[in-house]
Amino acid sequence: MTIAQSLLTYIADTWMKGDADGLDENVPLLELNIIDSSEIFDLVHHVQTEYRVTVPLREVAPDNFRTVAAIAALVERLRTESEGVR
């Protein structure tokens, strides 16, 4: 399962009562009120726990959480950056 697929499942289960109908990687999550600005922090916690990355506060921005594709790209970038530090 890809990061995006895993995120889609999590979002559907958590905020859409398991109904992922119409939800895909490019759906604007905030604009369609699937999640709100306070729920971004719940999503950040999930991302940090599930994908074992640290999301710096500067990265908790609407652009990084606008769509599932954006969140998946953030996770990949943070993973790459953390591997480069080692």
Side-chain angles (χ1 to χ4, degrees):
M1 181 179 289
T2 68
I3 293 171
Q5 290 168 330
S6 174
L7 286 166
L8 287 167
T9 300
Y10 176 77
I11 290 167
D13 289 348
T14 304
W15 291 290
M16 301 175 70
K17 299 179 182 173
D19 182 10
D21 190 40
L23 183 63
D24 66 37
E25 293 182 23
N26 298 306
V27 167
L29 301 171
L30 294 166
E31 291 173 29
L32 295 180
N33 294 319
I34 294 169
I35 61 171
D36 63 31
S37 57
S38 66
E39 291 167 335
I40 285 178
F41 291 98
D42 295 331
L43 195 49
V44 168
H45 177 72
H46 171 75
V47 164
Q48 292 185 130
T49 303
E50 182 70 19
Y51 305 107
R52 296 185 176 120
V53 296
T54 299
V55 180
L57 190 55
R58 71 180 179 280
E59 298 289 1
V60 182
D63 283 346
N64 287 331
F65 289 86
R66 186 171 315 284
T67 64
V68 168
I71 300 166
L74 174 65
V75 170
E76 290 292 345
R77 182 169 53 81
L78 292 172
R79 280 182 168 175
T80 300
E81 288 173 1
S82 72
E83 289 171 2
V85 171
R86 294 178 187 179

